[in-house]
Amino acid sequence: MKIHIITDIHHKLPASPTDRNWDSLLHVQSFIEDAIRQEADLIVDLGDRISDIDRKTDYQPSTELADIFGTFAGKRVHLLGNHDVENLTIADHEEIFRQPMQIIVHDLGALRLIAWQPDVSCKLGDGFPRAEPYLVWLIDALNSDSRPAIIASHVPVSGHSQIGNCYFERNPHYATYPDHATIRKAVERTGKVAIWLSGHVHRNTITSVNNIRHLTIQSLSEQFTTLPLIAQSWACLKIEDGRFTLDVVGNDPFHIQLPFMRSGDRPSIPPHAPYSETDRLREIASGSSSVVREN
């Protein structure tokens, strides 16, 4: 199985001060050509295709991207990011891309890919709404089949640190859902998930939580990790012989290879209790204790 992944294209982003000739469409075309050349089974677009301006203006970059994605004859999965839905509706995007953009399960033979689409509207001061209203569907979908699953969502739920991320170090509540711990624990209990793919945070990361590999992929158009260059990033995920390999190409390269298995196929060790009463009280005060998280 070979999956090509692109995220956070931000088409029509103002020209880079270090590259006035930046044209995201040319790089998306290169991504499609690479997927065709490598005979990818699937393309996954993790959202934030555009940088929103207003409803009328946002149609043009979305349509330009849809035309390029449409040159790939194979299966495509498109998710919505917060910038995509600022001015356009889900129905608008489905009409433009001629693809469903609701929550959906894709049968990939020996595994499944679940395109999970909670509300991605992000408001200044508030961040994202709770994702829990979309959780029952996800758990039912996971429990309905024994095959290992990949979940794809624009927004990550790993809860990984944003230290060093220029956007989110001081704004971590904009980097994930407020109930990410609830989502994560419920999914872990199914034991069915191997990989969780996301974009949004404009950085390559891997966070392993109870045997689920949470991966975030670098934005095509990002610069903060690659100055003065633009990242020009996309990824290829290969799954074979009980392993997966993720290669992110471009100016912010990233490579990992790990076992591909359902999280429940291997036992996970619960966190140790606080080592002292002082540590326990400090944990409760910080809101990080298991008791507090469950509430």
Side-chain angles (χ1 to χ4, degrees), residues 1 13 73 141 171 194 242 253 255 279:
M1 176 60 57
L13 195 71
N171 304 284
H255 169 83
D279 293 327

Side-chain angles (χ1 to χ4, degrees), residues 165-224:
N165 188 312
C166 68
Y167 301 106
F168 300 116
E169 178 169 333
R170 298 173 66 181
N171 304 284
H173 58 294
Y174 293 103
T176 188
Y177 290 104
D179 51 350
H180 62 88
T182 299
I183 303 302
R184 205 167 52 243
K185 285 180 177 295
V187 168
E188 288 164 8
R189 282 193 289 267
T190 70
K192 302 293 180 61
V193 179
I195 297 172
W196 194 311
L197 291 170
S198 302
H200 183 61
V201 294
H202 290 213
R203 207 171 191 181
N204 295 315
T205 70
I206 175 169
T207 308
S208 293
V209 186
N210 291 328
N211 296 328
I212 298 177
R213 317 298 189 178
H214 294 262
L215 308 174
T216 66
I217 309 300
Q218 176 61 286
S219 159
L220 177 76
S221 58
E222 187 47 69
Q223 282 189 280
F224 91 85

Side-chain angles (χ1 to χ4, degrees), residues 146-162:
S146 63
R147 288 173 292 175
I150 298 173
I151 300 176
S153 66
H154 177 67
V155 179
V157 301
S158 65
H160 70 276
S161 171
Q162 298 302 322

Side-chain angles (χ1 to χ4, degrees), residues 267-280:
S268 58
I269 306 301
H272 288 194
Y275 293 128
S276 73
E277 181 64 13
T278 301
D279 293 327
R280 187 183 73 84

